Amino acid sequence: MNDSDEMVLPLVVRIERATPPERTDALEAAAMAVLSLLDAPGEWAGELAAWQDGRIRKVVRRARGAEWRRAVALPGRTVEHRTAEVRVHPPVPLDAWPRDLARLQVSGTELADTGEPGPATPPVLWENPALRMSAGKAMAQAGHAAQLAWWASDAAGRAAWRA
């Protein structure tokens, strides 16, 4: 497979200047968005099957205002989780992103938690605080971890993820 055949899963996080999401909320929303697509691919089953070729590639971009409204107008699914909104779009070829997604920024996705996150309830994904990465990169990693855990889960484990 060459790069032109490689598929990528686009995720877009809404980051408004006045009300950015909490970092933990954004990471959890990204994981939930990936799981929602894996659990119920619907009309994107073909794209999802092509994307799941043994490699798992996700790219997180950020949007606000009109950019966010354009992203929401494209096929996809929005997950709202506490302070965060993340939209997952069906997988696309690496070099053929929809124009309105391709124009969004990748770098500079910095988010912070203003307080201590609440208690963790299973299933739990942990972020290693010793690894420094942008919120966008951490969101992609949370999506990867959720996907790997989903693949490794039995029916009962997947029911726990759904809950």
Side-chain angles (χ1 to χ4, degrees):
M1 174 178 276
N2 60 41
D3 283 349
S4 65
D5 297 330
E6 188 172 348
M7 301 288 281
V8 62
L9 186 74
L11 294 159
V12 179
V13 58
R14 183 177 186 181
I15 303 179
E16 298 292 343
R17 284 190 177 111
T19 56
E22 296 284 310
R23 180 182 176 96
T24 297
D25 293 351
L27 269 62
E28 290 174 353
M32 293 166 70
V34 170
L35 291 173
S36 78
L37 196 60
L38 291 171
D39 186 40
E43 65 192 89
W44 307 305
E47 291 94 331
L48 199 64
W51 169 67
Q52 294 184 83
D53 65 356
R55 295 178 290 177
I56 52 174
R57 184 164 185 159
K58 296 167 193 67
V59 175
V60 177
R61 298 190 181 221
R62 61 186 165 89
R64 68 173 57 97
E67 296 169 329
W68 176 254
R69 289 187 294 278
R70 284 192 294 274
V72 169
L74 295 170
R77 199 175 283 167
T78 301
V79 170
E80 295 181 19
H81 178 65
R82 293 192 293 259
T83 63
E85 287 181 77
V86 173
R87 185 148 178 96
V88 61
H89 297 271
V92 296
L94 180 61
D95 60 355
W97 281 61
R99 183 172 166 233
D100 284 332
L101 294 182
R103 296 185 334 185
L104 299 176
Q105 294 292 318
V106 177
S107 63
T109 306
E110 297 301 331
L111 299 171
D113 284 321
T114 58
E116 286 295 316
T121 56
V124 177
L125 301 173
W126 294 100
E127 179 183 14
N128 183 341
L131 299 175
R132 301 276 182 214
M133 62 182 86
S134 71
K137 180 67 174 170
M139 290 172 65
Q141 295 299 319
H144 296 334
Q147 183 173 354
L148 292 171
W150 180 263
W151 284 349
S153 295
D154 59 12
R158 289 183 177 186
W161 280 105
R162 281 183 202 100

